[in-house]
Amino acid sequence: MEDSHLVGIIDRLKVMQQDTGDEPQPRRFEKDGVERARVVYHQDSNTYTLYEFNPDVSFEFDNIDLVAIELFDLLSDN
């Protein structure tokens, strides 16, 4: 059985929450070698900013599940 892609996304997002550095560390999400989105976690507000490319839009999330689902949809073959 193949591992869940959603679990992998959530794991990456959780690592961002645990980062204790002074500056947010963005994470890139790619499909077929093309960057589709970038996510930044903001410790001070406990929110994620998702920057989608093509079209260029951004979203704020305060729930890890919602940002993970949005990323999964963006990266899936559907």
Side-chain angles (χ1 to χ4, degrees), residues 4-55:
S4 169
H5 294 285
L6 192 54
V7 170
I9 291 170
I10 290 174
D11 287 345
R12 291 183 69 190
L13 296 173
K14 283 183 180 180
V15 168
M16 295 173 77
Q17 288 180 343
Q18 298 165 354
D19 184 13
T20 59
D22 292 335
E23 294 292 320
Q25 299 296 316
R27 298 293 190 273
R28 297 173 37 187
F29 291 85
E30 300 177 353
K31 180 177 180 182
D32 299 326
V34 176
E35 186 175 3
R36 302 291 302 270
R38 186 172 7 103
V39 176
V40 176
Y41 180 72
H42 307 281
Q43 293 282 349
D44 56 340
S45 60
N46 295 321
T47 60
Y48 293 92
T49 302
L50 170 64
Y51 301 96
E52 287 186 18
F53 310 119
N54 197 17

